[in-house]
Amino acid sequence: MELQQKLKILSAAAKYDVSCSSSGSSRQNTKGGIGNGAYCGICHSWADDGRCISLLKILLTNYCVYDCAYCVNRISNDVPRASFTPKEVADLTINFYKRNYIEGLFLSSSIIKNPNYTMELLYESVRLLREEYRFNGYIHIKAIPGADLRLIEATGLLVDRMSVNIELPSSSSLKILAPQKEKQSILKPMSFITSKILEKKDERRHLKKAPGFVPAGQSTQMIIGASPENDLSIIRLSEKLYLHYKLKRVYYSAYVPVNSSNPNLPAINTPPLLREHRLYQADWLLRFYGFNADELLDEKTPNFDVELDPKANWALNNLNYFPVEVNKADLEMLLRVPGIGIRSAYKILRARKVKALNYDDLKKLGIVLKRAKFFITCNGRYSGGIDIDSGLIRYALTDNVKINDDNIKWEQISLFSMIDKVPTANDNFMSITGEI
């Protein structure tokens, strides 16, 4: 098979894996080397659905020995198959980099033969890039669950970021939809990578030239909508992953209906993108706004609101905290006001040291008063225009407009298209393991 045809197949096959990021690493170029990595990222380019396309994002192979019901590359699916050799991966990366098509590599793979054999091929690909081609750019690679930890460690010394995909939010769903995968085989390398990151960081405190290990950290991905877990169980799982495995990101991937014949999969025509969007919003609140999962949802309302973002929904459910006086409220409370983001909150803290702020001042600071005005006062003045009532405020915020997945465009942009000339709701995945 020609290399161009392989690229077309394997770049298209990689589009369902969203757990890639091009930031968080600082690797300087060396004499005679090619490229570099930087904390600020890799010349980000974004698809209109929010996915990063600045990396050469490919699978090493889409031949797979597994038969996961939700996966387009499962062994029982009749799709075109292809495989790269490690040298082909290295050559493609260097050639695309020199032509300014990409600034780094995201390399994943289906499982060919067995996890160890697949991980060896991935390792050899990045070894060639780093040691023979002297490529110093950003590399994100998948750690294969079930592979020997020595292979994962050797690979982690060469790359910027690694990810081990959780796949599904619960153990029971994994057994039903991916019976050849085991929860322990997923959590074991994730825990190992975390321990090695911490170990190498400690070494570098004492010896600056000590080799780094996955300097940009690790991430994971969950498929949303292929199994029956509710949003509460998913966001609780994410919270535990951040806390116990120190993940940089948890990515949520709306289930793409690729196997309508399986009775264990939902009968949907389009991916649940709105639900994915709400989970990303909630994830942001967990990481940067001081919320926890059980504040955002509970057993009575285990799923996020269709019409309101999680922060606004929390505010309406906790109106006893509002209105907030912006000239007196602390940072934690300011961050919980809809329409006030992290930068805006710090701007308020700095500005009010100089003068008492009014609504005009807030507008100049970039506060979204269309939302915030229902939850704040300035110098004791409330300008919401309606009573502080959850029903009235909800109506004002939503403007009685219904939204659904049809309002969200779903489109995967392939790099190849740019360069065509070349279980139960409470069955939490982590709680079942008993580890955390």
Side-chain angles (χ1 to χ4, degrees):
M1 183 182 294
E2 292 184 1
L3 188 62
Q4 187 176 10
Q5 183 65 17
K6 287 184 181 181
L7 180 60
K8 184 174 183 178
I9 293 171
L10 294 173
S11 61
K15 68 185 180 182
Y16 298 104
D17 197 327
V18 301
S19 59
C20 62
S21 174
S22 60
S23 60
S25 178
S26 180
R27 175 180 282 103
Q28 296 300 316
N29 196 7
T30 57
K31 186 177 181 180
I34 298 174
N36 60 73
Y39 283 116
C40 59
I42 306 178
C43 301
H44 292 76
S45 296
W46 299 93
D48 59 358
D49 61 354
R51 277 128 171 112
C52 179
I53 58 172
S54 62
L55 308 179
L56 172 58
K57 184 178 178 182
I58 54 174
L59 296 185
L60 181 72
T61 179
N62 66 341
Y63 287 101
C64 193
V65 298
Y66 292 162
D67 198 25
C68 304
Y70 51 81
C71 183
V72 69
N73 297 317
R74 64 189 181 278
I75 191 173
S76 62
N77 200 19
D78 184 17
V79 296
R81 306 284 180 173
S83 292
F84 286 128
T85 65
K87 189 175 187 309
E88 286 174 333
V89 171
D91 286 341
L92 280 171
T93 303
I94 293 299
N95 287 334
F96 285 171
Y97 179 85
K98 288 180 176 179
R99 295 175 186 180
N100 203 30
Y101 288 147
I102 53 101
E103 292 290 341
L105 171 68
F106 174 84
L107 182 61
S108 184
S109 182
S110 296
I111 310 301
I112 184 171
K113 292 188 178 180
N114 58 62
N116 276 339
Y117 182 78
T118 308
M119 197 69 222
E120 285 178 1
L121 293 176
L122 292 171
Y123 165 75
E124 180 61 15
S125 300
V126 297
R127 188 198 67 78
L128 285 172
L129 277 168
R130 293 297 195 211
E131 296 180 2
E132 296 192 19
Y133 290 82
R134 303 186 70 181
F135 178 68
N136 291 300
Y138 184 91
I139 299 179
H140 179 164
I141 202 166
K142 278 302 168 74
I144 304 299
D148 192 301
L149 296 180
R150 290 172 295 181
L151 282 170
I152 293 176
E153 181 177 8
T155 306
L157 292 169
L158 298 174
V159 302
D160 298 277
R161 175 167 288 186
M162 297 185 82
S163 51
V164 185
N165 283 356
I166 287 286
E167 302 286 2
L168 297 170
S170 74
S171 177
S172 59
S173 290
L174 200 65
K175 289 179 180 179
I176 294 171
L177 298 176
Q180 294 160 294
K181 295 182 178 180
E182 297 179 358
K183 61 181 183 295
Q184 191 57 37
S185 68
I186 296 172
L187 295 176
K188 186 177 180 180
M190 187 179 290
S191 178
F192 176 77
I193 293 169
T194 300
S195 65
K196 280 295 177 182
I197 291 173
L198 296 175
E199 177 185 316
K200 293 299 181 181
K201 281 184 177 179
D202 187 62
E203 286 183 10
R204 290 175 71 86
R205 290 192 186 100
H206 302 91
L207 185 62
K208 291 184 178 180
K209 293 186 178 180
F213 185 87
V214 194
Q218 67 168 320
S219 59
T220 192
Q221 170 179 300
M222 279 187 277
I223 299 171
I224 304 304
S227 52
E229 294 81 17
N230 56 38
D231 294 341
L232 176 60
S233 63
I234 291 170
I235 209 69
R236 279 176 174 171
L237 171 56
S238 297
E239 185 175 55
K240 292 178 180 179
L241 289 171
Y242 285 127
L243 179 63
H244 295 279
Y245 292 103
K246 312 301 180 185
L247 297 191
K248 290 293 184 180
R249 286 293 303 274
V250 175
Y251 291 86
Y252 309 95
S253 179
Y255 167 63
V256 180
V258 294
N259 187 7
S260 58
S261 62
N262 192 307
N264 294 318
L265 290 170
I268 59 175
N269 296 319
T270 58
L273 293 178
L274 179 58
R275 186 182 183 194
E276 176 192 286
H277 180 58
R278 290 286 182 252
L279 286 166
Y280 273 119
Q281 289 176 320
D283 186 274
W284 203 262
L285 296 180
L286 294 180
R287 292 191 294 138
F288 301 114
Y289 284 77
F291 285 85
N292 61 61
D294 289 328
E295 284 183 289
L296 298 173
L297 294 170
D298 55 37
E299 300 297 341
K300 293 182 179 179
T301 53
N303 292 302
F304 288 114
D305 196 294
V306 173
E307 296 180 329
L308 289 174
D309 67 87
K311 187 178 180 182
N313 191 56
W314 177 86
L316 289 183
N317 290 331
N318 294 272
L319 281 178
N320 54 299
Y321 291 109
F322 301 100
V324 170
E325 173 53 55
V326 293
N327 287 295
K328 296 180 180 179
D330 59 18
L331 176 63
E332 181 182 1
M333 199 61 225
L334 286 174
L335 288 174
R336 293 182 174 237
V337 176
I340 298 181
I342 297 173
R343 292 182 180 179
S344 299
Y346 280 103
K347 286 180 180 179
I348 289 173
L349 293 180
R350 291 192 296 267
R352 73 188 191 187
K353 292 180 180 179
V354 179
K355 57 169 291 190
L357 303 178
N358 56 39
Y359 284 98
D360 289 334
D361 296 325
L362 294 180
K363 188 174 181 180
K364 292 176 182 178
L365 292 175
I367 310 303
V368 185
L369 288 177
K370 184 178 180 180
R371 300 166 62 76
K373 65 182 180 180
F374 304 111
F375 304 97
I376 62 172
T377 59
C378 283
N379 297 315
R381 178 189 169 198
Y382 174 72
S383 296
I386 56 176
D387 293 337
I388 301 177
D389 174 81
S390 60
L392 294 174
I393 296 175
R394 180 187 179 88
Y395 185 87
L397 289 175
T398 60
D399 199 25
N400 206 30
V401 174
K402 304 293 182 181
I403 56 175
N404 53 48
D405 289 321
D406 294 333
N407 300 125
I408 303 177
K409 183 180 180 182
W410 179 66
E411 182 181 352
Q412 294 282 356
I413 294 184
S414 167
L415 176 66
F416 187 83
S417 67
M418 300 170 61
I419 51 176
D420 53 5
K421 295 182 181 180
V422 268
T424 62
N426 296 321
D427 186 10
N428 184 280
F429 190 98
M430 304 302 293
S431 62
I432 290 172
T433 68
E435 292 187 1
I436 61 176

